[in-house]
Amino acid sequence: MLIKNNDPAAPCPSEITGKDLYQGRRRFLRQAGALGGALWLGQAEANPAPAQLPPFKPGQPLPDEPLTSLDTLTSYGNFYEFGPNKDSPGRNAHTLKTRPWSVEVDGEVLKPRRFDLDELLRLAPLEERIYRLRCVEGWSAVVPWIGFPLAELIRRVQPTGNARYLEFWSLADPVQMPFVQYPTLDWPYREALRLDEAMHPLAILAVGLYGQVLPKPNGAPVRLVVPWKYGFKSGKSIVRIRFLEQQPRTSWMKAAPDEYGFYANVNPAVSHPRWSQAKERRLGEFFRRPTLPFNGYAAQVASLYAGMDLHRNY
Amino acid sequence: MNSARTPWTPGPTQLLLIKLLLIALCLLPLARLFGDLGPNPPEFVSRHTGTWTFNLLLLTLSVSPLRAWTGAHWLLRLRRSLGLLTFAYALLHFASFALFDHELAIQAIATDIVDRPFIAVGFAALLLMLPLALTSSNRAIALLGGRRWQELHRSIYLIGILAAIHYLWLAKITTYFYPLTYTLLLVLLLAWRVGARLKKASAPAPGFRGGSQPIKFFREKPDR
């Protein structure tokens, strides 16, 4: 029997379940499933690590650019501490121990200190940020990170008047990271930003992905995400943030100074010495699409580089 | 080569079977392209065909040393198939680049070959393979003459060197392991040839020991 409700005063279904919630129903189910799974696993495993993030504010999807799947994001990428191939981190990163974990913040700050991971997770309200990720090699993805603005952490340690740069140190433990014993890059992996870049609201410290704790191949438990720069600028598994007066030389600048500059802003007009950066291949797609200046974030970040020669400051 | 025993040699039917089996084995990696290609399918296809081009190139170059060490001269009869398979994989490798990187736009392909040195080197290797593939027939050998044919086909050494440069040049410090390994194998195979040639050069020219003279069969000139 069909019950027709023609009462004009009756609420429309979309008033009961909001559009956002309705469209995010699969994610809601996934999160609920992950929570259930986490609770169940929590019983089974001796590891006291909570597999669940504190609540976070959902992010704004990119129009016409679907998310890259979690499976793709965890099985494809560069994390050279775990091996040279794209599938190395997915295969090898399980040896990473993400708890206990802390991040040492020192250098040109008034309040140098160590942040425990649990403290970082509650340092500021967590929010989802759906960002494009553009690798310097020419592939790209759309990633639903969860984190908080790096500026929140910077504010708490009070940089001195001398602080002009931030250097990010990734973990380099040969026991957990088998490839750190090979002298390929200058370990530990170090990356850096100018202070004003680091303070920009788009720059975040990510602690989660797809509503869950950051997976190990993606730089668990805490990593940098700077969406307008090539991926290698966003250090993974961060253990130290050092405030400096002078611009430091990063691991990649030491390895190949003519190929990897300090800024590494995504720029279709400036070629890598060995290939053009005009186009990129979105993971899962067959053909290439044009790369956008500053990876599509020019409106927000281009002013940081006003008056700079971006060909020289690559 | 020095062993007194002559190694096993297949008969014509056996050789044909071995050849067919070898070709089938070498085509097997293509089946992988119909499986799960992972998160970045074009990259997978490009790497897979490129790696197998190099594998087959090394295998082709292994025929001569293997033949010298084992004395199994019939191995030489497999070399043409291996060389042609190498060329087939190289063509597929180029096709994946032309299709996935440039959607077959000739202008874009040409620009990219000029702009990216490692692609120029790879393309040069492909071009050099073309005359070798075209002259891979008994008719071509007869037409060119054995010596000229052999001289032409020595360009495979240059092709190998270009392939190694192509592979090394696209890598970065964290990914040098495979290109360096392939380069090392190529160097070993080329070094063996240099060694073989030097040995041949330093061997004494055939002559007569201890100032002995050729035997005279006839005391007198035979009558005409």
PDB file of all heavy atoms in Angstrom, chain B residues 52-85:
ATOM      1  N   TRP B  52      61.153  -4.659 -20.160  1.00  0.00           N
ATOM      2  CA  TRP B  52      61.268  -5.881 -20.964  1.00  0.00           C
ATOM      3  C   TRP B  52      62.051  -5.650 -22.243  1.00  0.00           C
ATOM      4  O   TRP B  52      62.679  -6.572 -22.761  1.00  0.00           O
ATOM      5  CB  TRP B  52      59.893  -6.509 -21.205  1.00  0.00           C
ATOM      6  CG  TRP B  52      59.583  -7.367 -20.026  1.00  0.00           C
ATOM      7  CD1 TRP B  52      58.838  -7.025 -18.929  1.00  0.00           C
ATOM      8  CD2 TRP B  52      60.103  -8.675 -19.775  1.00  0.00           C
ATOM      9  NE1 TRP B  52      58.853  -8.052 -18.013  1.00  0.00           N
ATOM     10  CE2 TRP B  52      59.624  -9.074 -18.504  1.00  0.00           C
ATOM     11  CE3 TRP B  52      60.925  -9.545 -20.481  1.00  0.00           C
ATOM     12  CZ2 TRP B  52      59.947 -10.315 -17.945  1.00  0.00           C
ATOM     13  CZ3 TRP B  52      61.246 -10.774 -19.915  1.00  0.00           C
ATOM     14  CH2 TRP B  52      60.752 -11.146 -18.664  1.00  0.00           C
ATOM     15  N   THR B  53      62.031  -4.425 -22.762  1.00  0.00           N
ATOM     16  CA  THR B  53      62.913  -4.127 -23.894  1.00  0.00           C
ATOM     17  C   THR B  53      64.357  -4.371 -23.479  1.00  0.00           C
ATOM     18  O   THR B  53      65.141  -5.021 -24.180  1.00  0.00           O
ATOM     19  CB  THR B  53      62.742  -2.668 -24.341  1.00  0.00           C
ATOM     20  OG1 THR B  53      61.370  -2.409 -24.600  1.00  0.00           O
ATOM     21  CG2 THR B  53      63.554  -2.376 -25.590  1.00  0.00           C
ATOM     22  N   PHE B  54      64.690  -3.851 -22.297  1.00  0.00           N
ATOM     23  CA  PHE B  54      66.068  -3.970 -21.812  1.00  0.00           C
ATOM     24  C   PHE B  54      66.408  -5.429 -21.487  1.00  0.00           C
ATOM     25  O   PHE B  54      67.490  -5.928 -21.811  1.00  0.00           O
ATOM     26  CB  PHE B  54      66.281  -3.075 -20.584  1.00  0.00           C
ATOM     27  CG  PHE B  54      67.632  -2.416 -20.544  1.00  0.00           C
ATOM     28  CD1 PHE B  54      67.767  -1.111 -20.082  1.00  0.00           C
ATOM     29  CD2 PHE B  54      68.773  -3.086 -20.956  1.00  0.00           C
ATOM     30  CE1 PHE B  54      69.015  -0.487 -20.043  1.00  0.00           C
ATOM     31  CE2 PHE B  54      70.022  -2.471 -20.911  1.00  0.00           C
ATOM     32  CZ  PHE B  54      70.131  -1.174 -20.456  1.00  0.00           C
ATOM     33  N   ASN B  55      65.460  -6.139 -20.856  1.00  0.00           N
ATOM     34  CA  ASN B  55      65.702  -7.555 -20.554  1.00  0.00           C
ATOM     35  C   ASN B  55      66.057  -8.321 -21.825  1.00  0.00           C
ATOM     36  O   ASN B  55      67.008  -9.110 -21.857  1.00  0.00           O
ATOM     37  CB  ASN B  55      64.442  -8.193 -19.950  1.00  0.00           C
ATOM     38  CG  ASN B  55      64.181  -7.707 -18.540  1.00  0.00           C
ATOM     39  OD1 ASN B  55      65.055  -7.131 -17.893  1.00  0.00           O
ATOM     40  ND2 ASN B  55      62.969  -7.905 -18.061  1.00  0.00           N
ATOM     41  N   LEU B  56      65.260  -8.098 -22.870  1.00  0.00           N
ATOM     42  CA  LEU B  56      65.466  -8.852 -24.111  1.00  0.00           C
ATOM     43  C   LEU B  56      66.735  -8.409 -24.832  1.00  0.00           C
ATOM     44  O   LEU B  56      67.418  -9.223 -25.461  1.00  0.00           O
ATOM     45  CB  LEU B  56      64.242  -8.719 -25.005  1.00  0.00           C
ATOM     46  CG  LEU B  56      63.062  -9.546 -24.488  1.00  0.00           C
ATOM     47  CD1 LEU B  56      61.766  -9.133 -25.139  1.00  0.00           C
ATOM     48  CD2 LEU B  56      63.321 -11.032 -24.718  1.00  0.00           C
ATOM     49  N   LEU B  57      67.046  -7.126 -24.710  1.00  0.00           N
ATOM     50  CA  LEU B  57      68.297  -6.629 -25.290  1.00  0.00           C
ATOM     51  C   LEU B  57      69.488  -7.338 -24.654  1.00  0.00           C
ATOM     52  O   LEU B  57      70.410  -7.808 -25.340  1.00  0.00           O
ATOM     53  CB  LEU B  57      68.394  -5.116 -25.087  1.00  0.00           C
ATOM     54  CG  LEU B  57      69.639  -4.433 -25.634  1.00  0.00           C
ATOM     55  CD1 LEU B  57      69.511  -4.259 -27.134  1.00  0.00           C
ATOM     56  CD2 LEU B  57      69.849  -3.078 -24.992  1.00  0.00           C
ATOM     57  N   LEU B  58      69.460  -7.448 -23.319  1.00  0.00           N
ATOM     58  CA  LEU B  58      70.552  -8.128 -22.613  1.00  0.00           C
ATOM     59  C   LEU B  58      70.600  -9.606 -22.992  1.00  0.00           C
ATOM     60  O   LEU B  58      71.676 -10.184 -23.160  1.00  0.00           O
ATOM     61  CB  LEU B  58      70.386  -7.963 -21.098  1.00  0.00           C
ATOM     62  CG  LEU B  58      70.554  -6.535 -20.548  1.00  0.00           C
ATOM     63  CD1 LEU B  58      70.316  -6.505 -19.041  1.00  0.00           C
ATOM     64  CD2 LEU B  58      71.941  -5.978 -20.857  1.00  0.00           C
ATOM     65  N   LEU B  59      69.423 -10.193 -23.133  1.00  0.00           N
ATOM     66  CA  LEU B  59      69.364 -11.610 -23.508  1.00  0.00           C
ATOM     67  C   LEU B  59      69.954 -11.817 -24.913  1.00  0.00           C
ATOM     68  O   LEU B  59      70.709 -12.763 -25.155  1.00  0.00           O
ATOM     69  CB  LEU B  59      67.897 -12.052 -23.477  1.00  0.00           C
ATOM     70  CG  LEU B  59      67.618 -13.520 -23.179  1.00  0.00           C
ATOM     71  CD1 LEU B  59      68.229 -13.934 -21.864  1.00  0.00           C
ATOM     72  CD2 LEU B  59      66.106 -13.764 -23.154  1.00  0.00           C
ATOM     73  N   THR B  60      69.625 -10.895 -25.833  1.00  0.00           N
ATOM     74  CA  THR B  60      70.163 -10.970 -27.195  1.00  0.00           C
ATOM     75  C   THR B  60      71.685 -10.891 -27.163  1.00  0.00           C
ATOM     76  O   THR B  60      72.380 -11.642 -27.852  1.00  0.00           O
ATOM     77  CB  THR B  60      69.605  -9.812 -28.047  1.00  0.00           C
ATOM     78  OG1 THR B  60      68.188  -9.771 -27.891  1.00  0.00           O
ATOM     79  CG2 THR B  60      69.942  -9.991 -29.507  1.00  0.00           C
ATOM     80  N   LEU B  61      72.189  -9.984 -26.325  1.00  0.00           N
ATOM     81  CA  LEU B  61      73.644  -9.812 -26.242  1.00  0.00           C
ATOM     82  C   LEU B  61      74.322 -10.963 -25.498  1.00  0.00           C
ATOM     83  O   LEU B  61      75.544 -11.085 -25.535  1.00  0.00           O
ATOM     84  CB  LEU B  61      73.965  -8.481 -25.542  1.00  0.00           C
ATOM     85  CG  LEU B  61      73.722  -7.215 -26.362  1.00  0.00           C
ATOM     86  CD1 LEU B  61      73.877  -5.977 -25.493  1.00  0.00           C
ATOM     87  CD2 LEU B  61      74.673  -7.147 -27.548  1.00  0.00           C
ATOM     88  N   SER B  62      73.527 -11.784 -24.799  1.00  0.00           N
ATOM     89  CA  SER B  62      74.109 -12.916 -24.057  1.00  0.00           C
ATOM     90  C   SER B  62      74.358 -14.121 -24.956  1.00  0.00           C
ATOM     91  O   SER B  62      75.060 -15.050 -24.557  1.00  0.00           O
ATOM     92  CB  SER B  62      73.178 -13.350 -22.921  1.00  0.00           C
ATOM     93  OG  SER B  62      72.853 -12.276 -22.118  1.00  0.00           O
ATOM     94  N   VAL B  63      73.776 -14.110 -26.140  1.00  0.00           N
ATOM     95  CA  VAL B  63      73.866 -15.299 -26.995  1.00  0.00           C
ATOM     96  C   VAL B  63      75.323 -15.623 -27.335  1.00  0.00           C
ATOM     97  O   VAL B  63      75.767 -16.752 -27.172  1.00  0.00           O
ATOM     98  CB  VAL B  63      73.017 -15.118 -28.274  1.00  0.00           C
ATOM     99  CG1 VAL B  63      73.319 -16.209 -29.275  1.00  0.00           C
ATOM    100  CG2 VAL B  63      71.539 -15.117 -27.917  1.00  0.00           C
ATOM    101  N   SER B  64      76.075 -14.607 -27.777  1.00  0.00           N
ATOM    102  CA  SER B  64      77.463 -14.872 -28.181  1.00  0.00           C
ATOM    103  C   SER B  64      78.321 -15.407 -27.039  1.00  0.00           C
ATOM    104  O   SER B  64      79.009 -16.417 -27.219  1.00  0.00           O
ATOM    105  CB  SER B  64      78.083 -13.613 -28.780  1.00  0.00           C
ATOM    106  OG  SER B  64      77.516 -13.391 -30.045  1.00  0.00           O
ATOM    107  N   PRO B  65      78.324 -14.752 -25.857  1.00  0.00           N
ATOM    108  CA  PRO B  65      79.123 -15.330 -24.762  1.00  0.00           C
ATOM    109  C   PRO B  65      78.665 -16.735 -24.371  1.00  0.00           C
ATOM    110  O   PRO B  65      79.507 -17.611 -24.158  1.00  0.00           O
ATOM    111  CB  PRO B  65      78.908 -14.356 -23.591  1.00  0.00           C
ATOM    112  CG  PRO B  65      78.245 -13.158 -24.137  1.00  0.00           C
ATOM    113  CD  PRO B  65      77.749 -13.451 -25.503  1.00  0.00           C
ATOM    114  N   LEU B  66      77.369 -16.960 -24.337  1.00  0.00           N
ATOM    115  CA  LEU B  66      76.867 -18.291 -23.966  1.00  0.00           C
ATOM    116  C   LEU B  66      77.349 -19.343 -24.974  1.00  0.00           C
ATOM    117  O   LEU B  66      77.756 -20.443 -24.595  1.00  0.00           O
ATOM    118  CB  LEU B  66      75.338 -18.289 -23.944  1.00  0.00           C
ATOM    119  CG  LEU B  66      74.678 -17.785 -22.657  1.00  0.00           C
ATOM    120  CD1 LEU B  66      73.158 -17.785 -22.815  1.00  0.00           C
ATOM    121  CD2 LEU B  66      75.089 -18.647 -21.469  1.00  0.00           C
ATOM    122  N   ARG B  67      77.318 -18.956 -26.216  1.00  0.00           N
ATOM    123  CA  ARG B  67      77.739 -19.856 -27.278  1.00  0.00           C
ATOM    124  C   ARG B  67      79.237 -20.166 -27.135  1.00  0.00           C
ATOM    125  O   ARG B  67      79.677 -21.319 -27.248  1.00  0.00           O
ATOM    126  CB  ARG B  67      77.458 -19.187 -28.610  1.00  0.00           C
ATOM    127  CG  ARG B  67      77.947 -19.939 -29.804  1.00  0.00           C
ATOM    128  CD  ARG B  67      77.684 -19.112 -31.038  1.00  0.00           C
ATOM    129  NE  ARG B  67      78.442 -19.625 -32.147  1.00  0.00           N
ATOM    130  CZ  ARG B  67      79.022 -18.861 -33.067  1.00  0.00           C
ATOM    131  NH1 ARG B  67      78.948 -17.546 -32.991  1.00  0.00           N
ATOM    132  NH2 ARG B  67      79.675 -19.408 -34.050  1.00  0.00           N
ATOM    133  N   ALA B  68      80.023 -19.128 -26.827  1.00  0.00           N
ATOM    134  CA  ALA B  68      81.464 -19.334 -26.677  1.00  0.00           C
ATOM    135  C   ALA B  68      81.772 -20.226 -25.481  1.00  0.00           C
ATOM    136  O   ALA B  68      82.648 -21.081 -25.558  1.00  0.00           O
ATOM    137  CB  ALA B  68      82.159 -17.985 -26.530  1.00  0.00           C
ATOM    138  N   TRP B  69      81.040 -20.022 -24.376  1.00  0.00           N
ATOM    139  CA  TRP B  69      81.337 -20.797 -23.166  1.00  0.00           C
ATOM    140  C   TRP B  69      80.890 -22.237 -23.284  1.00  0.00           C
ATOM    141  O   TRP B  69      81.536 -23.125 -22.777  1.00  0.00           O
ATOM    142  CB  TRP B  69      80.668 -20.145 -21.943  1.00  0.00           C
ATOM    143  CG  TRP B  69      81.275 -18.833 -21.586  1.00  0.00           C
ATOM    144  CD1 TRP B  69      82.544 -18.430 -21.855  1.00  0.00           C
ATOM    145  CD2 TRP B  69      80.630 -17.747 -20.925  1.00  0.00           C
ATOM    146  NE1 TRP B  69      82.743 -17.151 -21.397  1.00  0.00           N
ATOM    147  CE2 TRP B  69      81.580 -16.702 -20.809  1.00  0.00           C
ATOM    148  CE3 TRP B  69      79.362 -17.529 -20.398  1.00  0.00           C
ATOM    149  CZ2 TRP B  69      81.307 -15.482 -20.212  1.00  0.00           C
ATOM    150  CZ3 TRP B  69      79.076 -16.324 -19.789  1.00  0.00           C
ATOM    151  CH2 TRP B  69      80.040 -15.308 -19.714  1.00  0.00           C
ATOM    152  N   THR B  70      79.728 -22.443 -23.909  1.00  0.00           N
ATOM    153  CA  THR B  70      79.197 -23.805 -23.940  1.00  0.00           C
ATOM    154  C   THR B  70      79.599 -24.557 -25.205  1.00  0.00           C
ATOM    155  O   THR B  70      79.525 -25.778 -25.231  1.00  0.00           O
ATOM    156  CB  THR B  70      77.658 -23.779 -23.885  1.00  0.00           C
ATOM    157  OG1 THR B  70      77.196 -23.035 -25.029  1.00  0.00           O
ATOM    158  CG2 THR B  70      77.146 -23.106 -22.625  1.00  0.00           C
ATOM    159  N   GLY B  71      79.968 -23.826 -26.221  1.00  0.00           N
ATOM    160  CA  GLY B  71      80.243 -24.479 -27.491  1.00  0.00           C
ATOM    161  C   GLY B  71      78.975 -24.858 -28.228  1.00  0.00           C
ATOM    162  O   GLY B  71      79.034 -25.534 -29.254  1.00  0.00           O
ATOM    163  N   ALA B  72      77.837 -24.447 -27.700  1.00  0.00           N
ATOM    164  CA  ALA B  72      76.550 -24.769 -28.341  1.00  0.00           C
ATOM    165  C   ALA B  72      76.268 -23.733 -29.425  1.00  0.00           C
ATOM    166  O   ALA B  72      75.612 -22.730 -29.187  1.00  0.00           O
ATOM    167  CB  ALA B  72      75.431 -24.792 -27.298  1.00  0.00           C
ATOM    168  N   HIS B  73      76.789 -24.006 -30.596  1.00  0.00           N
ATOM    169  CA  HIS B  73      76.693 -23.003 -31.669  1.00  0.00           C
ATOM    170  C   HIS B  73      75.281 -22.776 -32.159  1.00  0.00           C
ATOM    171  O   HIS B  73      74.967 -21.740 -32.709  1.00  0.00           O
ATOM    172  CB  HIS B  73      77.611 -23.419 -32.824  1.00  0.00           C
ATOM    173  CG  HIS B  73      79.035 -23.528 -32.399  1.00  0.00           C
ATOM    174  ND1 HIS B  73      79.742 -22.442 -31.957  1.00  0.00           N
ATOM    175  CD2 HIS B  73      79.852 -24.603 -32.274  1.00  0.00           C
ATOM    176  CE1 HIS B  73      80.952 -22.832 -31.613  1.00  0.00           C
ATOM    177  NE2 HIS B  73      81.037 -24.137 -31.772  1.00  0.00           N
ATOM    178  N   TRP B  74      74.413 -23.750 -31.920  1.00  0.00           N
ATOM    179  CA  TRP B  74      73.023 -23.593 -32.383  1.00  0.00           C
ATOM    180  C   TRP B  74      72.308 -22.451 -31.657  1.00  0.00           C
ATOM    181  O   TRP B  74      71.280 -21.963 -32.140  1.00  0.00           O
ATOM    182  CB  TRP B  74      72.263 -24.907 -32.186  1.00  0.00           C
ATOM    183  CG  TRP B  74      72.172 -25.336 -30.738  1.00  0.00           C
ATOM    184  CD1 TRP B  74      73.076 -26.088 -30.063  1.00  0.00           C
ATOM    185  CD2 TRP B  74      71.135 -25.010 -29.822  1.00  0.00           C
ATOM    186  NE1 TRP B  74      72.682 -26.258 -28.770  1.00  0.00           N
ATOM    187  CE2 TRP B  74      71.487 -25.613 -28.590  1.00  0.00           C
ATOM    188  CE3 TRP B  74      69.947 -24.281 -29.906  1.00  0.00           C
ATOM    189  CZ2 TRP B  74      70.682 -25.487 -27.458  1.00  0.00           C
ATOM    190  CZ3 TRP B  74      69.145 -24.169 -28.777  1.00  0.00           C
ATOM    191  CH2 TRP B  74      69.518 -24.762 -27.561  1.00  0.00           C
ATOM    192  N   LEU B  75      72.837 -22.008 -30.503  1.00  0.00           N
ATOM    193  CA  LEU B  75      72.207 -20.893 -29.778  1.00  0.00           C
ATOM    194  C   LEU B  75      72.087 -19.662 -30.684  1.00  0.00           C
ATOM    195  O   LEU B  75      71.178 -18.857 -30.545  1.00  0.00           O
ATOM    196  CB  LEU B  75      73.013 -20.536 -28.529  1.00  0.00           C
ATOM    197  CG  LEU B  75      72.924 -21.518 -27.361  1.00  0.00           C
ATOM    198  CD1 LEU B  75      73.905 -21.124 -26.271  1.00  0.00           C
ATOM    199  CD2 LEU B  75      71.502 -21.562 -26.814  1.00  0.00           C
ATOM    200  N   LEU B  76      73.050 -19.549 -31.596  1.00  0.00           N
ATOM    201  CA  LEU B  76      73.059 -18.421 -32.522  1.00  0.00           C
ATOM    202  C   LEU B  76      71.764 -18.352 -33.338  1.00  0.00           C
ATOM    203  O   LEU B  76      71.304 -17.275 -33.710  1.00  0.00           O
ATOM    204  CB  LEU B  76      74.258 -18.576 -33.473  1.00  0.00           C
ATOM    205  CG  LEU B  76      74.688 -17.336 -34.241  1.00  0.00           C
ATOM    206  CD1 LEU B  76      75.071 -16.238 -33.286  1.00  0.00           C
ATOM    207  CD2 LEU B  76      75.865 -17.686 -35.141  1.00  0.00           C
ATOM    208  N   ARG B  77      71.172 -19.523 -33.545  1.00  0.00           N
ATOM    209  CA  ARG B  77      69.953 -19.580 -34.354  1.00  0.00           C
ATOM    210  C   ARG B  77      68.759 -18.954 -33.632  1.00  0.00           C
ATOM    211  O   ARG B  77      67.703 -18.769 -34.246  1.00  0.00           O
ATOM    212  CB  ARG B  77      69.632 -21.045 -34.712  1.00  0.00           C
ATOM    213  CG  ARG B  77      70.814 -21.829 -35.291  1.00  0.00           C
ATOM    214  CD  ARG B  77      70.970 -21.675 -36.779  1.00  0.00           C
ATOM    215  NE  ARG B  77      69.815 -22.135 -37.525  1.00  0.00           N
ATOM    216  CZ  ARG B  77      69.683 -23.358 -38.025  1.00  0.00           C
ATOM    217  NH1 ARG B  77      70.636 -24.261 -37.824  1.00  0.00           N
ATOM    218  NH2 ARG B  77      68.629 -23.683 -38.734  1.00  0.00           N
ATOM    219  N   LEU B  78      68.911 -18.680 -32.330  1.00  0.00           N
ATOM    220  CA  LEU B  78      67.812 -18.068 -31.567  1.00  0.00           C
ATOM    221  C   LEU B  78      67.939 -16.548 -31.521  1.00  0.00           C
ATOM    222  O   LEU B  78      67.031 -15.844 -31.088  1.00  0.00           O
ATOM    223  CB  LEU B  78      67.804 -18.599 -30.123  1.00  0.00           C
ATOM    224  CG  LEU B  78      67.683 -20.105 -29.953  1.00  0.00           C
ATOM    225  CD1 LEU B  78      67.798 -20.478 -28.481  1.00  0.00           C
ATOM    226  CD2 LEU B  78      66.365 -20.613 -30.530  1.00  0.00           C
ATOM    227  N   ARG B  79      69.089 -16.042 -31.955  1.00  0.00           N
ATOM    228  CA  ARG B  79      69.376 -14.630 -31.709  1.00  0.00           C
ATOM    229  C   ARG B  79      68.453 -13.705 -32.495  1.00  0.00           C
ATOM    230  O   ARG B  79      68.051 -12.659 -31.988  1.00  0.00           O
ATOM    231  CB  ARG B  79      70.840 -14.330 -32.038  1.00  0.00           C
ATOM    232  CG  ARG B  79      71.296 -13.012 -31.474  1.00  0.00           C
ATOM    233  CD  ARG B  79      72.778 -12.853 -31.567  1.00  0.00           C
ATOM    234  NE  ARG B  79      73.227 -12.890 -32.948  1.00  0.00           N
ATOM    235  CZ  ARG B  79      74.515 -12.776 -33.308  1.00  0.00           C
ATOM    236  NH1 ARG B  79      75.446 -12.635 -32.388  1.00  0.00           N
ATOM    237  NH2 ARG B  79      74.858 -12.819 -34.576  1.00  0.00           N
ATOM    238  N   ARG B  80      68.112 -14.099 -33.721  1.00  0.00           N
ATOM    239  CA  ARG B  80      67.262 -13.228 -34.535  1.00  0.00           C
ATOM    240  C   ARG B  80      65.900 -13.026 -33.858  1.00  0.00           C
ATOM    241  O   ARG B  80      65.410 -11.901 -33.780  1.00  0.00           O
ATOM    242  CB  ARG B  80      67.073 -13.810 -35.928  1.00  0.00           C
ATOM    243  CG  ARG B  80      66.220 -12.924 -36.807  1.00  0.00           C
ATOM    244  CD  ARG B  80      65.980 -13.556 -38.154  1.00  0.00           C
ATOM    245  NE  ARG B  80      67.207 -13.628 -38.940  1.00  0.00           N
ATOM    246  CZ  ARG B  80      67.358 -14.408 -40.008  1.00  0.00           C
ATOM    247  NH1 ARG B  80      66.371 -15.193 -40.382  1.00  0.00           N
ATOM    248  NH2 ARG B  80      68.487 -14.407 -40.667  1.00  0.00           N
ATOM    249  N   SER B  81      65.338 -14.120 -33.348  1.00  0.00           N
ATOM    250  CA  SER B  81      64.038 -14.003 -32.664  1.00  0.00           C
ATOM    251  C   SER B  81      64.139 -13.049 -31.476  1.00  0.00           C
ATOM    252  O   SER B  81      63.268 -12.202 -31.256  1.00  0.00           O
ATOM    253  CB  SER B  81      63.573 -15.363 -32.171  1.00  0.00           C
ATOM    254  OG  SER B  81      63.553 -16.269 -33.233  1.00  0.00           O
ATOM    255  N   LEU B  82      65.216 -13.213 -30.697  1.00  0.00           N
ATOM    256  CA  LEU B  82      65.388 -12.358 -29.516  1.00  0.00           C
ATOM    257  C   LEU B  82      65.518 -10.893 -29.913  1.00  0.00           C
ATOM    258  O   LEU B  82      64.931 -10.010 -29.282  1.00  0.00           O
ATOM    259  CB  LEU B  82      66.624 -12.805 -28.720  1.00  0.00           C
ATOM    260  CG  LEU B  82      66.460 -14.131 -27.971  1.00  0.00           C
ATOM    261  CD1 LEU B  82      67.811 -14.576 -27.399  1.00  0.00           C
ATOM    262  CD2 LEU B  82      65.435 -13.997 -26.855  1.00  0.00           C
ATOM    263  N   GLY B  83      66.285 -10.632 -30.964  1.00  0.00           N
ATOM    264  CA  GLY B  83      66.466  -9.259 -31.424  1.00  0.00           C
ATOM    265  C   GLY B  83      65.155  -8.650 -31.891  1.00  0.00           C
ATOM    266  O   GLY B  83      64.838  -7.507 -31.561  1.00  0.00           O
ATOM    267  N   LEU B  84      64.381  -9.429 -32.637  1.00  0.00           N
ATOM    268  CA  LEU B  84      63.103  -8.904 -33.138  1.00  0.00           C
ATOM    269  C   LEU B  84      62.114  -8.678 -31.996  1.00  0.00           C
ATOM    270  O   LEU B  84      61.339  -7.723 -32.006  1.00  0.00           O
ATOM    271  CB  LEU B  84      62.515  -9.861 -34.186  1.00  0.00           C
ATOM    272  CG  LEU B  84      63.218  -9.785 -35.556  1.00  0.00           C
ATOM    273  CD1 LEU B  84      62.749 -10.915 -36.459  1.00  0.00           C
ATOM    274  CD2 LEU B  84      62.984  -8.430 -36.220  1.00  0.00           C
ATOM    275  N   LEU B  85      62.155  -9.548 -31.001  1.00  0.00           N
ATOM    276  CA  LEU B  85      61.284  -9.350 -29.825  1.00  0.00           C
ATOM    277  C   LEU B  85      61.688  -8.084 -29.075  1.00  0.00           C
ATOM    278  O   LEU B  85      60.834  -7.342 -28.582  1.00  0.00           O
ATOM    279  CB  LEU B  85      61.363 -10.569 -28.911  1.00  0.00           C
ATOM    280  CG  LEU B  85      60.554 -11.782 -29.373  1.00  0.00           C
ATOM    281  CD1 LEU B  85      61.036 -13.047 -28.697  1.00  0.00           C
ATOM    282  CD2 LEU B  85      59.061 -11.568 -29.103  1.00  0.00           C
TER     283      LEU B  85
END
